[in-house]
Amino acid sequence: MKNLIILSIYFALLFSSLSSYWYFYNNYYKESINAFINSPDQDDLYEIVDESDRYCEQVYLEATRRREYSEIENAICWDLFAVKKQEELDYVTYMLKNRGVY
């Protein structure tokens, strides 16, 4: 009886760890992490054709973690900022999980 309880706890822990493993390696998280890693830097801004996207990327690079976004910047770029913040959160969680911290 004791072995059965220990065995069931072992399998529960095994399956829970595997489900969290696959959670971070599905296509959504791969795409999100790769998008954050490959996001444009200051030198890549001139390659962006769309003016509003270029402006939003420039504001994101200049303002993130340095100052608050202005109301105009939030009105124009709120959707891009939300996507970028989620990509960054996915990347940080992925890296912490790989290092065994999270």
Side-chain angles (χ1 to χ4, degrees):
M1 185 68 177
K2 184 179 179 182
N3 289 339
L4 183 62
I5 293 172
I6 293 173
L7 188 62
S8 64
I9 291 172
Y10 171 76
F11 280 118
L13 291 174
L14 178 68
F15 289 126
S16 68
S17 67
L18 286 177
S19 66
S20 67
Y21 172 80
W22 291 113
Y23 179 73
F24 287 102
Y25 292 99
N26 67 24
N27 287 337
Y28 168 77
Y29 283 100
K30 284 182 186 176
E31 290 174 12
S32 177
I33 292 165
N34 287 335
F36 179 75
I37 292 171
N38 298 322
S39 61
D41 58 4
Q42 197 69 29
D43 296 333
D44 297 333
L45 287 177
Y46 72 92
E47 296 175 2
I48 299 174
V49 178
D50 187 18
E51 287 290 325
S52 66
D53 286 345
R54 183 181 315 135
Y55 172 75
C56 291
E57 289 286 350
Q58 183 177 4
V59 168
Y60 184 79
L61 288 172
E62 292 173 353
T64 303
R65 288 193 266 328
R66 293 186 181 106
R67 63 174 173 86
E68 292 291 322
Y69 300 119
S70 69
E71 290 181 18
I72 295 171
E73 292 168 347
N74 271 329
I76 296 172
C77 304
W78 67 270
D79 54 342
L80 183 108
F81 293 160
V83 169
K84 291 279 195 182
K85 288 177 185 176
Q86 185 61 47
E87 288 174 352
E88 184 175 3
L89 181 64
D90 293 339
Y91 174 76
V92 169
T93 305
Y94 170 76
M95 292 308 294
L96 290 175
K97 192 161 191 70
N98 276 349
R99 294 179 184 156
V101 176
Y102 182 68

